[in-house]
Amino acid sequence: MKTVIIATKNKGKAKEFESLFHPKGYEVLTLLDFVGATDVEETGETFEENAILKAEAIAKEFGRFVLADDSGLIVDALDGRPGVYSARYAGEKKNDAANTAKVLDELEEVPETERTARFYCALALASPNQETITVSGSVEGLIAGKPEGENGFGYDPVFYLKEKGKTMAELNSEEKNAISHRANALKVLERKLDQFLAREEGNR
């Protein structure tokens, strides 16, 4: 079976990509399937740069084609922060609660109408055989005054979706996967994927 590597150690994230690749005859592998895979440093200044760094490094390492993503929270009143630093906003060690608390603290004096934000996701598809492609997707929301909901991770409990009347963490998986930034990026990727796969198979 043909394989694609998803440059992540997050099984849940990989599962989201399976529905895209399985119908096209591809088995989805992750970095958990490769002992000693390089831990690529995310030194880019944009989500796209980080996704490309990861995808190209892993594609070069294993000689296969790779999909990588980088995503995070952009808050308008914070001049776009936490942005590419979303996972480590409160310090080098990843801590969802501390990151969320820092954002809420910084927005304490900001009125609700000015707490606009978006989740943003960049995807990069890289191969040793062809040029890397990138796509992106986002979802708009507001930063709530306090965390609500148990279903999400990261900033989901404070990311309020006005049209749903709920935070992202109050949605079930099916609802979230229908509207999330990653889902929106995947929809764009799907439109470009067949062409990429055809070139990939032509280069074998």
Side-chain angles (χ1 to χ4, degrees):
M1 199 178 188
K2 297 170 291 192
T3 57
V4 53
I5 301 171
I6 311 298
T8 184
K9 291 182 180 176
N10 181 326
K11 284 181 182 173
K13 197 185 278 187
K15 225 168 179 48
E16 288 183 44
F17 296 116
E18 281 179 359
S19 58
L20 186 60
F21 286 102
H22 274 178
K24 299 179 189 299
Y26 278 80
E27 181 192 4
V28 169
L29 302 175
T30 72
L31 297 182
L32 294 170
D33 295 302
F34 298 90
V35 178
T38 302
D39 199 1
V40 182
E41 259 194 89
E42 296 176 17
T43 53
E45 291 181 13
T46 65
F47 294 112
E48 278 79 6
E49 284 177 17
N50 281 334
I52 290 167
L53 276 171
K54 284 189 279 190
E56 290 185 347
I58 301 298
K60 189 177 176 186
E61 185 172 357
F62 295 107
R64 307 195 200 186
F65 96 85
V66 175
L67 178 64
D69 84 311
D70 193 38
S71 54
L73 178 69
I74 297 169
V75 181
D76 295 318
L78 300 180
D79 300 319
R81 294 193 312 276
V84 292
Y85 305 106
S86 292
R88 294 179 173 85
Y89 195 46
E92 256 323 291
K93 202 171 185 299
K94 291 182 182 182
N95 184 318
D96 289 352
N99 291 336
T100 300
K102 184 174 179 182
V103 167
L104 291 181
D105 189 49
E106 291 181 334
L107 290 173
E108 202 173 350
E109 304 298 319
V110 179
E112 186 189 319
T113 51
E114 291 169 33
R115 296 168 75 104
T116 51
R118 67 205 51 81
F119 275 132
Y120 186 91
C121 172
L123 298 175
L125 252 186
S127 162
N129 306 315
Q130 56 177 307
E131 205 174 312
T132 301
I133 62 169
T134 60
V135 298
S136 63
S138 61
V139 58
E140 300 288 324
L142 294 166
I143 301 300
K146 63 181 187 350
E148 299 283 358
E150 302 293 325
N151 296 335
F153 60 92
Y155 299 94
D156 285 357
V158 294
F159 192 82
Y160 182 76
L161 299 150
K162 215 169 183 177
E163 69 281 8
K164 297 277 185 189
K166 296 175 179 178
T167 68
M168 197 71 101
E170 291 178 294
L171 303 180
N172 62 40
S173 297
E174 207 171 273
E175 290 173 309
K176 182 183 172 180
N177 291 342
I179 61 150
S180 76
H181 49 312
R182 195 170 291 114
N184 290 333
L186 278 169
K187 284 170 197 163
V188 182
L189 179 67
E190 195 162 8
R191 296 200 288 271
K192 296 186 173 190
L193 189 59
D194 285 341
Q195 211 176 358
F196 185 94
L197 295 180
R199 285 197 300 267
E200 189 65 16
E201 285 165 33
N203 284 324
R204 283 182 192 281

